[in-house]
DNA sequence: CAGGACATGTAAAATGTTACATGATTCT
DNA sequence: AGAATCATGTAACATTTTACATGTCCTG
């Protein structure tokens, strides 16, 4: 239930409408916790129903301004202080790397190269953000900057890794030789699997 | 629908049962794409129904041995070659960092320190894996090693970042001075938000 | 013969994605 | 007046998580 806490966290800095929050997600939080418009509005209603938020003035176009309540702040602090974050990592990019043996060496190289390019692009984008933002002393600025730095390091790491991986494959290619199997073959090499089971990676 | 492709990818290396696959997930794929037992069994049935898999012999305890079909291999290659991976990043750890201003400087430091420790622990664990695994020349070994290297670099990056973040906060603490707001205050400082809106981070 | 590992499944609930639907205000 | 932006919502579907349920085989 991180979405609700993300919303509470943003509203802890001051009142906002669903539309505002949605834009904040798109432009900053989306990098660590993406959410759709649909989700934001639904969750705001749930939070209001649970008394974690209060709707203040209704503005121009049916705009609702949400404020956090004391119960909301309590819940936010409880989440931050008393619960452990779970670190579920999910990377489709990396998942595919596992299976790159199914597509021939050329395509595998292309894949890694593109992954590296994406990371490099992301790095540039984040550098641009760093310059563009007016960093204040408010909570979101101070801690947001820490998060941005994480993003910068992460992107750089990914770019470097992709480069390394390409070099690694090149080495291996020279040693083991030959254009790797385009779509099957190695699956049936002796020792590749025993008793029909995979050898776990650890 | 990455889970189905993860299963196809594993089965492309050779036949296995749901139980085998489940263990592979727990021990290796879980690091890039976690899945539960429940999900694995359900998806295997769906894949079989769709003719991407075939059930071979039924073993000892109702064990079903799944093999990939030609349609399954085609689907796997299609996924790898013709579709773009989406890079949805979700990090609860990082999400919390954004909101660390809500819990006082001491707790914020503790949080970052613990995050660093977790990363350091993960790094050690992966190093142990690296030593323990017998790296062969089969697909999963070759590309699995690339993924492991990614994990090592990622963990190191996180550990270093946490260290840096702690130092950064220490500096800022000396400059801006004072024990930060334990739970509200700054929210109402002038300029922290305009027109009830948050300043986007970019 | 008991306990652990092997082995497969279903159901319910929570969460996330995609698409659709509607209307008001502001700017050019 | 028309387009862009502001603004909120619902419905259907897919995915993920958690819990429950059941039975077999092997080892000490």
């Amino acid at each position: 239930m991180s979405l609700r806490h993300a919303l509470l966290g943003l509203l802890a800095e001051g009142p906002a409408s669903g539309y505002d929050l949605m834009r904040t997600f798109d432009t900053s939080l989306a990098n660590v916790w993406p959410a759709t418009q649909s989700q934001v509005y639904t969750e705001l209603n749930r939070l209001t129903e649970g008394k974690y938020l209060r709707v203040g003035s209704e503005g121009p176009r049916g705009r609702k301004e949400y404020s956090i309540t004391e119960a909301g702040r309590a819940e936010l602090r409880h989440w931050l202080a008393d619960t452990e974050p779970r670190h579920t990592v999910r990377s489709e990019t990396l998942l595919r790397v596992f299976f790159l043996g199914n597509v021939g060496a050329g395509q595998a190289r292309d894949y890694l190269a593109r992954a590296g390019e994406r990371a490099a692009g992301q790095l540039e984008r984040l550098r641009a953000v760093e310059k563009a933002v007016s960093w204040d002393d408010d909570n979101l600025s101070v801690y947001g900057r820490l998060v941005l730095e994480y993003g910068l390091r992460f992107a750089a790491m990914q770019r470097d890794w992709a480069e390394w991986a390409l070099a690694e494959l090149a080495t291996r290619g020279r040693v083991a030789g030959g254009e790797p199997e385009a779509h099957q073959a190695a699956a049936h090499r002796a020792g590749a699997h025993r008793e029909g089971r995979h050898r776990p990676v650890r």
Side-chain angles (χ1 to χ4, degrees), chain A:
Chain A
M1 291 239 271
S2 290
L3 174 61
R4 68 186 310 135
H5 298 108
L7 292 170
L8 288 172
L10 291 176
L11 289 167
E13 299 299 312
S17 71
Y19 194 80
D20 296 338
L21 293 163
M22 208 189 81
R23 271 163 62 228
T24 304
F25 265 89
D26 283 347
T27 54
S28 66
L29 281 200
N31 293 297
V32 301
W33 200 271
T36 60
Q37 175 257 51
S38 168
Q39 261 182 300
V40 170
Y41 284 110
T42 307
E43 195 58 43
L44 284 172
N45 283 324
R46 270 206 282 262
L47 282 165
T48 307
E49 209 177 337
K51 309 282 190 194
Y52 298 107
L53 301 180
R54 191 177 23 238
V55 180
S57 58
E58 295 234 354
R61 299 157 245 220
R63 175 193 168 95
K64 294 182 190 171
E65 189 150 83
Y66 291 95
S67 306
I68 194 168
T69 62
E70 206 27 67
R73 280 188 201 278
E75 173 56 29
L76 177 61
R77 284 195 301 271
H78 166 70
W79 177 67
L80 284 166
D82 312 329
T83 69
E84 281 291 305
R86 25 165 140 184
H87 59 302
T88 353
V89 178
R90 242 183 199 113
S91 167
E92 200 181 315
T93 301
L94 231 31
L95 177 64
R96 287 172 187 230
V97 173
F98 263 113
F99 305 129
L100 242 29
N102 292 277
V103 293
Q107 282 193 285
R109 274 193 298 271
D110 287 353
Y111 180 82
L112 291 170
R114 259 184 295 124
E117 281 161 30
R118 275 199 301 271
Q122 171 73 352
L123 184 55
E124 270 182 59
R125 236 171 296 126
L126 291 178
R127 282 204 187 116
V129 170
E130 191 177 28
K131 272 187 216 153
V133 175
S134 55
W135 297 106
D136 295 313
D137 274 7
D138 59 291
N139 286 333
L140 250 33
S141 278
V142 171
Y143 291 103
R145 236 169 65 66
L146 299 187
V147 175
L148 179 61
E149 175 69 20
Y150 181 102
L152 290 165
R153 287 168 183 239
F154 190 22
M157 179 241 112
Q158 288 177 101
R159 180 204 50 191
D160 295 346
W161 169 82
E163 219 170 279
W164 169 87
L166 281 166
E168 184 72 6
L169 283 189
T171 310
R172 183 166 283 276
R174 273 197 298 282
V175 176
E179 177 72 359
E181 45 283 332
H183 59 259
Q184 40 157 303
H188 303 106
R189 269 207 302 258
H193 52 89
R194 296 198 230 284
E195 297 148 10
R197 291 183 195 170
H198 301 295
R199 189 194 334 284
V201 168
R202 68 171 160 205

